[in-house]
Amino acid sequence: MISITNYILHIDVNSAYLSWTAAYRLQQGYELDLRTVPAVVGGSEKSRHGIVLAKSMPAKKFNIITGESIRDAYQKCPKLICVAPNYDLYMKASAAMVEIIREYSPKVQRFSIDECFVDYNDLATGRHAIDIAKEIRKRMWDELGFTVNIGVSTNKILAKMGSDFQKPDRVHTLFPNEIQAKMWPLPVGDLFMVGSRTEAKLKGLGINTIGELAQTDVALLSAHLKSHGYLVHAYANGIDHSPVRKSNREIVKGMGNSTTVRFNVEKREDANLVLLSLAESVGMRLRQASVCAGLVSVSIRSTEFTGGGHQRKISVTTDSTTYIHKIAMQLFDEMWDGQLIRKLGLRVSDLYSNDYVQLSLLEEFDFERQKALDDTVDKIRGKYGSSAIHRASFLHSGLRPVTGGIQDDGEDEYPIMTCIL
DNA sequence: TCTGGGGTCCTAGGACCC
DNA sequence: TCTGGGGTCCTAGGACCC
């Protein structure tokens, strides 16, 4: 017998935004634990950000689902408590969680703000992975005040599926010899990477459970789902060879920001300002990551929820706020048909290290001068905050001079957290 | 005052080249 | 004078995730 020494853990915060908010409020001296009553984290309806981002277990009992409008949620439960998101708090809570997890293994992959994978070798400590998982679960509660689910297995897909079993505050195993008993009876839509469209197609083929998917001829699946068919078939059989990567950061493919504007945009000049504020944050993020982009994309969503995207490769790679904005406006002008706009997005990709920025001789654009300006603005914002300096065109516009990334809803802000979390 | 924001990967079709 | 084949690049859009 060969004993397994390498395990994969998947750690997932239960109702992350809500749990973190609840834990924080307890620390601040609130009596009520939001996790014990129907409560949601959601944006404000007035600024048209009113959807449920996270819900408590009691809220779930009222059939409130993530992503639905706050209004619909109130209809289901009039006593519902709704609190604003606090992304600064979430980043801190996430960092505190990862710091503890890294005590057990150097191979930790942050999969999202509230999830990570751990490659754990029990030769290192002589302790079994299941015991480690139980200890991590307990420490999250004791030291940070929130609960997690942990899945333990031998690869990422099984660990992830395992962490999704009964919640909250549980450790589950899903080893290969447990697949048939624990995973195959589940509805096919529960499988990672089977979303609503794929689920509908599979049901059309008479496939209703993960087990049925696992035992379907992969040729049939690929005929209907192309390469996605191979993927979900492998996942249904618990097959996944992807490694736990130490870092996601080095392999970022693109970055973008988008915003639902507080009012319907009908004037080009307002769209121009919104895209400028998005370019400010995208540009800052590029410069912070020391990369330049070779592709710019703009997306528009109308008040009718129609719309699309428009993108263009650019002849230079750039991290210039002003240049990105200039391209974005070209794209906008080519695409906009005058419809009322609800949401605008700006995204850059084709990222290259900015060590070798090419300066185009053809462009009538002074990259050197803009670079100096961007650097100065970044320094001031780094020191005094992103609202310390902004372009005069935003004065009296009713628009944010910088849009995207970590920011809160503005109305009901929490103070910066100072406690242990 | 219905419907957020940030990502990744895949596919299809047209342009263009040899 | 309807007509091949292979390849890459570019753009649009769909599907999935948290």
Side-chain angles (χ1 to χ4, degrees):
Chain A
M1 281 290 283
I2 305 165
S3 69
I4 302 167
T5 59
N6 243 77
Y7 296 89
I8 307 297
L9 276 55
H10 180 254
I11 300 162
D12 191 351
V13 180
N14 302 124
S15 312
Y17 287 1
L18 190 102
S19 296
W20 286 334
T21 304
Y24 176 62
R25 287 164 77 107
L26 291 179
Q27 282 181 16
Q28 295 298 299
Y30 282 80
E31 294 282 316
L32 180 65
D33 186 334
L34 291 175
R35 289 167 288 199
T36 64
V37 296
V40 297
V41 173
S44 92
E45 288 184 75
K46 200 164 59 185
S47 65
R48 313 203 290 185
H49 290 65
I51 63 155
V52 174
L53 299 165
K55 61 197 177 295
S56 66
M57 299 292 273
K60 193 177 179 178
K61 293 223 169 70
F62 285 89
N63 290 319
I64 289 167
I65 55 174
T66 302
E68 77 179 324
S69 68
I70 299 291
R71 167 173 296 196
D72 288 352
Y74 272 124
Q75 300 268 318
K76 292 177 181 176
C77 176
K79 287 189 308 179
L80 188 71
I81 296 173
C82 178
V83 296
N86 178 351
Y87 295 103
D88 192 56
L89 169 68
Y90 307 153
M91 307 268 282
K92 286 179 176 161
S94 177
M97 170 173 88
V98 172
E99 196 177 324
I100 288 177
I101 294 166
R102 284 198 211 281
E103 291 179 29
Y104 298 90
S105 171
K107 293 183 190 167
V108 179
Q109 178 182 0
R110 291 183 83 152
F111 192 63
S112 70
I113 194 163
D114 68 329
E115 282 180 49
C116 47
F117 290 101
V118 185
D119 187 324
Y120 172 76
N121 191 300
D122 65 5
L123 281 178
T125 59
R127 298 175 62 199
H128 196 279
I130 296 171
D131 297 326
I132 295 300
K134 287 178 178 166
E135 185 172 302
I136 291 173
R137 181 199 61 80
K138 185 170 185 302
R139 286 186 66 189
M140 290 299 154
W141 175 253
D142 291 345
E143 297 176 30
L144 302 179
F146 56 84
T147 63
V148 297
N149 259 43
I150 304 183
V152 181
S153 188
T154 53
N155 67 24
K156 283 161 75 174
I157 183 66
L158 291 174
K160 179 147 175 67
M161 293 303 294
S163 71
D164 213 29
F165 294 162
Q166 196 188 0
K167 295 171 181 175
D169 203 20
R170 295 278 194 136
V171 171
H172 298 284
T173 64
L174 179 55
F175 290 115
N177 64 0
E178 299 176 298
I179 290 172
Q180 287 194 33
K182 289 188 179 181
M183 188 168 82
W184 279 10
L186 298 175
V188 73
D190 284 6
L191 185 65
F192 180 64
M193 291 304 286
V194 176
S196 61
R197 309 302 286 265
T198 304
E199 180 183 19
K201 285 182 190 168
L202 291 173
K203 287 194 169 158
L205 295 169
I207 299 165
N208 292 294
T209 67
I210 296 177
E212 286 164 4
L213 175 60
Q215 292 174 303
T216 301
D217 184 354
V218 74
L220 177 72
L221 297 172
S222 66
H224 288 86
L225 303 171
K226 312 286 177 189
S227 68
H228 201 59
Y230 292 100
L231 181 80
V232 295
H233 184 259
Y235 283 178
N237 283 285
I239 297 165
D240 171 28
H241 302 292
S242 67
V244 173
R245 289 191 304 253
K246 277 179 80 172
S247 164
N248 279 337
R249 250 194 123 54
E250 298 148 28
I251 48 171
V252 171
K253 299 289 198 303
M255 41 184 80
N257 291 104
S258 60
T259 188
T260 296
V261 189
R262 307 178 88 94
F263 53 89
N264 292 336
V265 175
E266 42 188 308
K267 295 199 298 255
R268 181 182 183 273
E269 183 48 32
D270 284 335
N272 179 67
L273 283 179
V274 172
L275 285 170
L276 178 55
S277 74
L278 292 165
E280 292 270 19
S281 60
V282 167
M284 264 194 292
R285 292 170 67 195
L286 282 169
R287 297 188 292 275
Q288 201 156 18
S290 300
V291 289
C292 285
L295 179 67
V296 179
S297 319
V298 167
S299 64
I300 297 176
R301 180 148 76 190
S302 75
T303 50
E304 265 71 60
F305 274 69
T306 59
H310 196 29
Q311 65 181 52
R312 178 166 297 137
K313 284 207 50 122
I314 51 179
S315 59
V316 292
T317 62
T318 186
D319 61 6
S320 159
T321 294
T322 303
Y323 191 70
I324 291 166
H325 176 239
K326 181 185 151 185
I327 302 294
M329 279 313 290
Q330 287 173 8
L331 292 165
F332 175 83
D333 286 332
E334 288 165 12
M335 175 171 45
W336 190 43
D337 59 4
Q339 271 203 301
L340 290 181
I341 298 166
R342 177 185 176 85
K343 176 177 169 172
L344 283 164
L346 174 57
R347 159 158 215 93
V348 295
S349 48
D350 279 17
L351 304 184
Y352 302 89
S353 160
N354 68 1
D355 294 342
Y356 42 89
V357 186
Q358 341 162 1
L359 298 177
S360 169
L361 300 172
L362 302 174
E363 291 278 352
E364 292 170 8
F365 188 86
D366 189 344
F367 283 94
E368 301 283 358
R369 187 167 164 271
Q370 289 299 328
K371 179 82 190 154
L373 179 63
D374 283 333
D375 288 347
T376 306
V377 171
D378 287 349
K379 268 185 202 146
I380 291 168
R381 287 187 174 145
K383 206 166 174 181
Y384 303 106
S386 67
S387 56
I389 181 170
H390 58 81
R391 301 183 193 232
S393 43
F394 285 103
L395 282 174
H396 314 301
S397 69
L399 292 164
R400 287 196 179 101
V402 179
T403 302
I406 46 160
Q407 65 188 347
D408 299 312
D409 237 15
E411 329 223 334
D412 186 22
E413 272 188 47
Y414 293 87
I416 300 297
M417 185 174 55
T418 53
C419 302
I420 55 155
L421 246 185

